[in-house]
Amino acid sequence: MKLLGAVLAGGRSSRFGSDKAEVMFDGMRLLDHAVAALGKQCDAVMVIGREDARYECAPDLPVSDLGPLGGLAGALAEVERKGFDAALTCSVDNLVLPDDLTTLLGPGPAVIAEQPTVGLWPAGLLKPLLAFIDTNSKRSLRGFAAHVGARMAVSPVPIPNINRPADLADLADLADLQK
């Protein structure tokens, strides 16, 4: 299966208070950590929802400010445009992913239950997603996952989710303990 890794990076980081993608952790930006985590498991990786000169990027669709659904739509458009079989997604603050993520989520559609931005989305879901965005007033990734019958998988390792600066500080403390 030819996989496109897609880092969903178009969020506002409103709970964090600044642009999470640019925040440094362990010598790298959070965005760089997420790209590296997906890169181990995909044929190519793109950043969706922002421009960054270091990576190939694509916009959220159909417009920005739709949260993860807009990022997923942008990723699925790139899957179709480039001839990939599926998109493997994560958000900009998912720094650690299971080594066997594609096996855990395969064949897809499937998401990590506690982190639905981490998902495997087969080609062919762009049209249903755009229709869902257009007709559903509660535009949530969980809602779309349920709509298309995505399987909810459980990660064998905790996947950090960094919503506030304190979450990053807790992660740094844990990393220090593990050294």
Side-chain angles (χ1 to χ4, degrees):
M1 179 179 346
K2 190 174 175 192
L3 282 178
L4 175 65
V7 177
L8 309 181
R12 292 187 218 155
S13 304
S14 55
R15 290 178 286 181
F16 195 82
S18 64
D19 186 358
K20 281 193 286 190
E22 297 297 323
V23 171
M24 298 298 287
F25 178 76
D26 203 22
M28 292 172 34
R29 299 177 308 161
L30 295 186
L31 176 61
D32 301 322
H33 282 285
V35 168
L38 277 182
K40 296 175 188 172
Q41 303 187 50
C42 299
D43 298 291
V45 178
M46 292 184 71
V47 173
I48 310 295
R50 75 170 43 237
E51 289 296 319
D52 189 292
R54 297 172 190 154
Y55 303 111
E56 187 175 357
C57 300
D60 287 349
L61 293 177
V63 296
S64 60
D65 265 350
L66 290 176
L69 285 179
L72 178 57
L76 289 171
E78 291 300 311
V79 163
E80 287 186 7
R81 188 173 75 82
K82 295 178 176 236
F84 285 89
D85 298 311
L88 184 63
T89 62
C90 76
S91 68
V92 73
D93 59 351
N94 295 138
L95 310 183
V96 178
L97 299 172
D99 290 335
D100 62 346
L101 186 59
T102 55
T103 302
L104 179 66
L105 295 176
V111 298
I112 298 295
E114 62 274 10
Q115 292 286 337
T117 56
V118 180
L120 181 64
W121 304 95
L125 289 177
L126 179 59
K127 245 185 199 173
L129 176 54
L130 292 175
F132 181 85
I133 290 169
D134 191 44
T135 60
N136 195 303
S137 61
K138 287 184 83 177
R139 297 181 182 129
S140 75
L141 197 53
R142 285 186 195 280
F144 179 67
H147 180 73
V148 296
R151 185 172 45 80
M152 296 287 163
V154 176
S155 175
V157 298
I159 299 174
N161 185 18
I162 302 162
N163 290 319
R164 295 172 179 81
D167 298 332
L168 190 60
D170 291 344
L171 189 60
D173 291 344
L174 179 62
D176 287 342
L177 288 174
Q178 293 175 341
K179 288 181 181 176

